[in-house]
């Protein structure tokens, strides 16, 4: 994907790095297939930076990286979730967090 963006836009790696606020070495490692950022590959935040800098959608970048495409949460849904989360006890919050963590891990292992 990085090679395609550079080719289509006539950019150098430095230009893409500057526009994405990412290091040239990071983009080079991704381009060469080196996960470079640990065993899990690029973080979602770094992938979003690449999408913003390259003028691509988040979905395009996440799909190209072989990652689960995040689904947007509308403001109302996020507000309802936070309202419910704030209303439960600390012990129940830990249960919610552990459940969500397990769900994220399962999702990573199947994508």
């Amino acid at each position: 994907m990085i090679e395609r963006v550079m080719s289509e836009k006539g950019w150098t790696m430095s230009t893409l790095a500057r526009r994405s606020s990412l290091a040239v070495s990071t983009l080079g490692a991704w381009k060469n297939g080196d996960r470079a950022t640990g065993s899990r590959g690029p973080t979602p935040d770094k992938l979003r930076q690449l999408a913003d800098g390259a003028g691509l959608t988040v979905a395009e970048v996440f799909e190209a990286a072989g990652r689960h495409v995040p689904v947007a949460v509308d403001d109302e849904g996020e507000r309802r979730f936070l309202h419910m989360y704030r209303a439960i006890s600390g012990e129940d919050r830990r249960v919610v967090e552990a459940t969500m963590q397990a769900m994220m891990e399962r999702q990573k292992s199947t994508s």
Side-chain angles (χ1 to χ4, degrees):
M1 161 171 295
I2 291 171
E3 190 71 41
R4 181 187 61 127
V5 168
M6 290 171 27
S7 174
E8 288 176 0
K9 297 185 182 266
W11 291 351
T12 64
M13 184 88 67
S14 295
T15 302
L16 180 56
R18 183 174 32 80
R19 289 177 175 264
S20 303
S21 300
L22 295 166
V24 171
S25 60
T26 297
L27 292 176
W30 294 352
K31 179 176 163 263
N32 295 325
D34 180 3
R35 293 181 76 93
T37 56
S39 62
R40 297 182 186 228
T43 65
D45 288 341
K46 299 270 187 211
L47 292 174
R48 285 185 183 91
Q49 281 179 247
L50 178 59
D52 289 344
L56 301 171
T57 67
V58 170
E60 287 176 286
V61 173
F62 274 66
E63 285 174 6
R67 301 290 286 276
H68 169 73
V69 178
V71 178
V73 176
D74 63 21
D75 290 341
E76 180 61 22
E78 185 174 12
R79 186 194 65 72
R80 281 193 320 269
F81 179 83
L82 287 173
H83 176 75
M84 289 184 287
Y85 182 80
R86 289 178 182 134
I88 61 178
S89 70
E91 183 178 334
D92 286 343
R93 284 182 184 180
R94 286 187 289 283
V95 170
V96 169
E97 291 168 9
T99 301
M100 291 177 76
Q101 185 64 42
M103 293 165 69
M104 288 172 49
E105 292 299 323
R106 186 188 73 219
Q107 194 165 344
K108 285 179 193 173
S109 70
T110 60
S111 59

